[in-house]
Amino acid sequence: MKKLRLTINPMDKRSHINREIYGNFSEHLGRCVYDGLYVGEDSDIPNIEGFRKDVVEAFREIKLPVLRWPGGCFADEYHWKDGIGEKSSRKKMINTHWGGVVEDNSFGTHEFLRFCELVGCEPYISGNVGSGTVEELSQWIEYMTFDGVSPMAELRRKNGREQPWKLKYLGIGNESWGCGGNMTAEYYTDLYRRYQTYCREYSGNQLYKIACGPNAGDYNWTEVLMKNAHPWYNLKGISLHYYTVPYGNWAHKGDAVKFTEAEYYETIRSTLEMETLVTRHSEIMNRYDPEKKVGLIVDEWGCWFDVEEGTNPGFLYQQNTMRDAIVAAINLNIFNSHSDRVHMANIAQAVNVLQSILLTEGKVTVKTPTYHVFDLYKEHQDATLIYSHAENEATDSESAVPCISHSASINENGDILVTLSNCALDREFEMEIGSAFGEVKSACARVLTGEAHDHNTFTDTDNVVIKELAVRVEDGRAYVVLPACGVAAVTLKV
Ligand code: AHR
């Protein structure tokens, strides 16, 4: 077995890893909100005030830091006043983007914010710029955050909530270059400046305003936005959306479970594009914001495959395998490594849609391999990125990709977490982990591994789970065997 050296330097502290990098996204799309987060109080599925108990608990276990809502494309057709007040009298609408189904608005502002309270995460609200008005968004902020006397604060009280909520993260539009209005960068930037003006900071609430940023490699969008919206217009973050699609072929994305080895490696190649995107958008941002105050918010990322056979094509329901786990591991390592600029990321999506961390069917909830990666990585949250370097080698596949991806952080107790993935399907590696300063004194490790197609199902929920990984500490170094198609988390003391 080949040995690869990985060197860390705990003295070389880089940037704070915002816990929000481990965020998620929940849209009124397919069975994400209804069935996924919310089943209603009368359901025989165990629930807390109508929210799935197992989902709340699973989110708490991985310390979910932030949840984005209500979309996605849905956000730019959402009118928040339809989702407040007595449920039986809430307006019904057609979800034109996603399957043309009836949206009964039974999950609205109060429900979303209560769900976040139960999970213990920050809410991230995506405002409607595409088909809404400045007044509507301004009133939504007033409704949620104002504690004085005003029409919206009174309306909130009438609907049963005396105290305002705190709302930090506010998106001004979603994909305004596409489903959110098909705008040019110049036109959107003007709209951002106008809309954000009327999103007031009431009662000590401080808004972190996130402008709609680029679609993947649209560098001109970033340039125009940074030039014209920063630093005068309260711009705290700009979003970036990039989905992993094998061969970039949106017409034929391939099956989530049945894929060839070539498709597997092509998926890895496609996901590694994230490194280039983050680097190049950051370079543009650096010119306007060298102090890195504006965050790059990767608020949609993950694998997008063809929907599962027999499911509504508008529901974007797909299974989740070890391939997805490797993709998650690589992306989270990239975000950690760029945490000086990447201040938040939200995988798409939380439950039953695209690269979900959870899948539900009736009373059963499945933790996907992607969920387990978030579990392995959770101690990076709010830790400090440190220098790490690994010897590496390329796979022999047609699209040759580096086998190893990694990142390392140190927390306030001095615990060092090294996360590693090996995308190669044909070889394991002995990883020798050493520190540039000091010797490794103790170490323990966990691993997630399997065949690339391995996944969990509603009848076999624990086919892919985290296991202990043997570590040998010798001569001040730690040694682990990183299996083929594996993700490991090694916790060290130096
Ligand atoms: O996540 C699914 C969709 O992908 C979102 O609604 C949209 O923002 C993106 O195009």
Side-chain angles (χ1 to χ4, degrees):
M1 186 193 333
K2 182 152 186 188
K3 181 158 81 182
L4 294 178
R5 282 197 195 91
L6 187 148
T7 308
I8 53 169
N9 185 351
M11 306 293 279
D12 186 351
K13 296 195 169 73
R14 301 271 163 123
S15 44
H16 179 78
I17 299 177
N18 274 356
R19 62 174 175 275
E20 284 82 359
I21 283 178
Y22 292 83
N24 222 305
F25 168 35
S26 55
E27 180 165 8
H28 287 244
L29 193 180
R31 297 189 305 111
C32 182
V33 169
Y34 303 109
D35 277 4
L37 309 185
Y38 187 72
V39 287
E41 284 173 79
D42 300 333
S43 171
D44 59 353
I45 295 169
N47 66 83
I48 312 164
E49 300 165 34
F51 307 108
R52 277 190 86 112
K53 192 164 175 287
D54 51 7
V55 168
V56 170
E57 283 164 0
F59 284 179
R60 289 182 70 92
E61 266 170 53
I62 53 166
K63 304 203 284 188
L64 180 78
V66 59
L67 189 62
R68 179 172 181 247
W69 175 85
C73 298
F74 181 82
D76 278 294
E77 286 195 297
Y78 183 63
H79 300 285
W80 68 272
K81 284 186 186 161
D82 296 346
I84 54 171
E86 187 49 50
K87 287 198 184 189
S88 55
S89 46
R90 291 188 193 176
K91 257 193 215 162
K92 294 187 173 44
M93 65 183 276
I94 299 173
N95 191 333
T96 42
H97 264 293
W98 306 119
V101 293
V102 173
E103 162 63 56
D104 71 1
N105 278 303
S106 55
F107 188 97
T109 304
H110 289 246
E111 290 74 24
F112 173 63
L113 294 171
R114 178 66 183 137
F115 182 78
C116 291
E117 279 173 353
L118 288 172
V119 170
C121 69
E122 291 279 351
Y124 169 9
I125 295 243
S126 208
N128 180 346
V129 169
S131 73
T133 64
V134 175
E135 182 186 29
E136 188 182 9
L137 186 54
S138 151
Q139 288 185 337
W140 201 4
I141 306 303
E142 181 187 325
Y143 184 89
M144 289 184 281
T145 61
F146 188 48
D147 72 354
V149 178
S150 81
M152 291 304 111
E154 289 309 319
L155 184 59
R156 183 191 69 238
R157 291 190 185 101
K158 189 172 141 251
N159 288 331
R161 174 83 186 194
E162 178 59 38
Q163 293 304 318
W165 293 275
K166 286 282 181 223
L167 176 74
K168 183 171 177 187
Y169 297 111
L170 175 69
I172 311 285
N174 168 74
E175 297 196 350
S176 305
W177 36 262
C179 67
N182 289 304
M183 303 173 197
T184 62
E186 287 78 6
Y187 180 69
Y188 169 76
T189 303
D190 283 349
L191 279 190
Y192 165 78
R193 288 162 50 156
R194 179 166 168 235
Y195 270 72
Q196 74 80 28
T197 305
Y198 301 95
C199 294
R200 309 286 188 197
E201 298 197 319
Y202 296 108
S203 316
N205 186 63
Q206 291 197 329
L207 292 169
Y208 183 109
K209 293 173 186 169
I210 300 167
C212 166
N215 176 20
D218 183 353
Y219 300 110
N220 176 58
W221 188 282
T222 303
E223 186 81 46
V224 171
L225 192 56
M226 288 303 291
K227 187 167 167 204
N228 299 320
H230 174 73
W232 303 283
Y233 301 101
N234 302 308
L235 186 73
K236 291 277 174 17
I238 72 171
S239 63
L240 164 66
H241 288 186
Y242 175 66
Y243 283 98
T244 296
V245 176
Y247 304 99
N249 184 351
W250 284 85
H252 187 74
K253 299 181 280 298
D255 193 276
V257 176
K258 292 176 228 132
F259 48 85
T260 62
E261 201 171 295
E263 278 178 286
Y264 168 85
Y265 284 115
E266 179 53 30
T267 308
I268 305 302
R269 195 209 53 73
S270 165
T271 218
L272 285 163
E273 289 282 320
M274 184 64 91
E275 173 69 40
T276 309
L277 293 170
V278 168
T279 303
R280 292 196 55 193
H281 285 295
S282 297
E283 279 163 10
I284 297 168
M285 295 174 80
N286 289 348
R287 280 196 272 111
Y288 296 96
D289 173 37
E291 289 174 26
K292 302 186 178 168
K293 289 192 173 145
V294 179
L296 187 59
I297 307 295
V298 191
D299 58 17
E300 289 189 30
W301 68 273
C303 291
W304 193 322
F305 301 123
D306 291 338
V307 297
E308 287 295 302
E309 240 176 85
T311 64
N312 186 328
F315 281 14
L316 309 186
Y317 178 81
Q318 63 192 43
Q319 247 296 357
N320 193 293
T321 65
M322 272 307 298
R323 173 174 63 164
D324 296 81
I326 300 286
V327 163
I330 290 172
N331 279 280
L332 292 170
N333 283 334
I334 292 173
F335 300 149
N336 286 345
S337 305
H338 288 274
S339 50
D340 56 341
R341 184 59 86 180
V342 176
H343 295 175
M344 190 199 299
N346 310 72
I347 191 171
Q349 299 192 4
V351 195
N352 296 330
V353 170
L354 300 177
Q355 193 178 345
S356 302
I357 57 170
L358 299 174
L359 300 174
T360 68
E361 194 175 274
K363 287 185 179 167
V364 187
T365 290
V366 163
K367 291 176 174 161
T368 64
T370 300
Y371 176 93
H372 292 302
V373 173
F374 277 77
D375 195 352
L376 287 175
Y377 279 53
K378 66 186 172 194
E379 299 307 329
H380 279 310
Q381 293 188 26
D382 282 335
T384 304
L385 180 78
I386 57 170
Y387 170 89
S388 62
H389 173 79
E391 291 176 341
N392 215 334
E393 65 180 35
T395 58
D396 304 324
S397 46
E398 201 181 318
S399 23
V401 286
C403 297
I404 305 294
S405 145
H406 64 95
S407 65
S409 70
I410 187 163
N411 71 12
E412 53 194 17
N413 301 323
D415 297 319
I416 294 165
L417 176 64
V418 181
T419 48
L420 297 155
S421 69
N422 174 16
C423 72
L425 299 177
D426 57 357
R427 68 199 92 154
E428 58 189 10
F429 294 101
E430 183 180 39
M431 301 300 302
E432 177 190 296
I433 306 175
S435 173
F437 282 96
E439 302 201 325
V440 174
K441 295 197 181 77
S442 61
C444 60
R446 301 193 299 156
V447 69
L448 186 76
T449 185
E451 300 290 321
H453 304 95
D454 283 355
H455 58 283
N456 295 327
T457 66
F458 297 105
T459 48
D460 187 2
T461 55
D462 292 336
N463 183 37
V464 183
V465 288
I466 295 173
K467 303 211 165 101
E468 292 303 309
L469 179 65
V471 199
R472 181 166 51 91
V473 177
E474 209 175 275
D475 298 332
R477 288 161 194 278
Y479 297 83
V480 292
V481 174
L482 182 61
C485 195
V487 184
V490 185
T491 306
L492 309 163
K493 277 277 191 207
V494 171

